[in-house]
Amino acid sequence: TVSVLYWNERMAAWTVGVITVSDRCHRGEQEDRSGPAVLEALRAGFDKQRGPPAFITAVVPDEIDAIQAQVRRMSASCALVVTTGGTGFAERDVTPEAVKPLLTKEAPGMVHAMFASGLSKTPVAWLSRAVAGVVGRTVVVTLPGSPKAVRECLEPLVGHGLEHAMELASGNAKSAHPT
């Protein structure tokens, strides 16, 4: 499932894209639980003054071409694309390899914040190979495929600068600093 989040001044709301990367979910063999966890965390955490975010979701297989096509499609019209799944060490975990070449700017600080938050709760959080950055005018963040990890990774970002990063990347920032 994919959800995309973007700032549209005319709508005064965010639109969020969430992409679930999973062979089994794509084939209908398993229920997607991490995509809905992304939606829940973003709904709960974003600035309510702008109105509730709108979501676009998609489920793609663990294939570089499919992941890249969906990230490109969503980033063409959104300020945020969040992927979930495919960041581990299994042979078919290729989300970082798919997303990293698309990034025009990397955001290692976002990844460090996610790791620090995750490690304070889960000793093996370092096993995620997350990447984050900007594709065009869109912030893109890759998350692990577990609902628990999704919540732990989004916690330090949502309400703590992610919205400002989206405004800056999209060119809609009111000021250079959120203070």
Side-chain angles (χ1 to χ4, degrees):
T1 300
V2 176
S3 297
V4 178
L5 183 53
Y6 68 95
W7 171 246
N8 181 322
E9 288 184 294
R10 292 177 310 156
M11 293 171 41
W14 293 104
T15 300
V16 177
V18 175
I19 303 168
T20 298
V21 180
S22 167
D23 288 332
R24 287 178 281 171
C25 291
H26 185 258
R27 290 190 302 257
E29 298 170 2
Q30 179 177 313
E31 178 185 356
D32 175 18
R33 296 181 318 128
S34 61
V38 172
L39 300 178
E40 180 183 322
L42 293 175
R43 273 190 193 108
F46 274 109
D47 183 356
K48 302 301 186 269
Q49 293 178 337
R50 294 199 175 122
F55 294 94
I56 301 168
T57 63
V59 178
V60 300
D62 290 279
E63 296 173 5
I64 289 175
D65 291 343
I67 297 164
Q68 287 181 336
Q70 193 59 252
V71 169
R72 282 187 184 109
R73 191 173 299 124
M74 290 186 170
S75 65
S77 61
C78 299
L80 176 67
V81 174
V82 178
T83 71
T84 175
T87 63
F89 283 73
E91 184 177 345
R92 291 200 41 88
D93 287 340
V94 296
T95 302
E97 289 77 15
V99 173
K100 193 167 184 172
L102 302 178
L103 298 176
T104 53
K105 293 182 181 177
E106 293 187 42
M110 293 175 86
V111 175
H112 294 311
M114 292 189 303
F115 283 150
S117 175
L119 284 170
S120 71
K121 300 166 186 79
T122 305
V124 294
W126 59 269
L127 286 170
S128 172
R129 299 178 309 114
V131 298
V134 176
V135 174
R137 299 180 125 213
T138 302
V139 174
V140 177
V141 180
T142 66
L143 304 177
S146 114
K148 179 178 183 283
V150 162
R151 289 187 292 274
E152 290 174 0
C153 287
L154 286 175
E155 183 180 316
L157 303 181
V158 178
H160 299 100
L162 180 59
E163 292 169 284
H164 187 61
M166 293 162 55
E167 290 173 340
L168 290 169
S170 69
N172 289 321
K174 303 285 189 249
S175 70
H177 301 285
T179 54

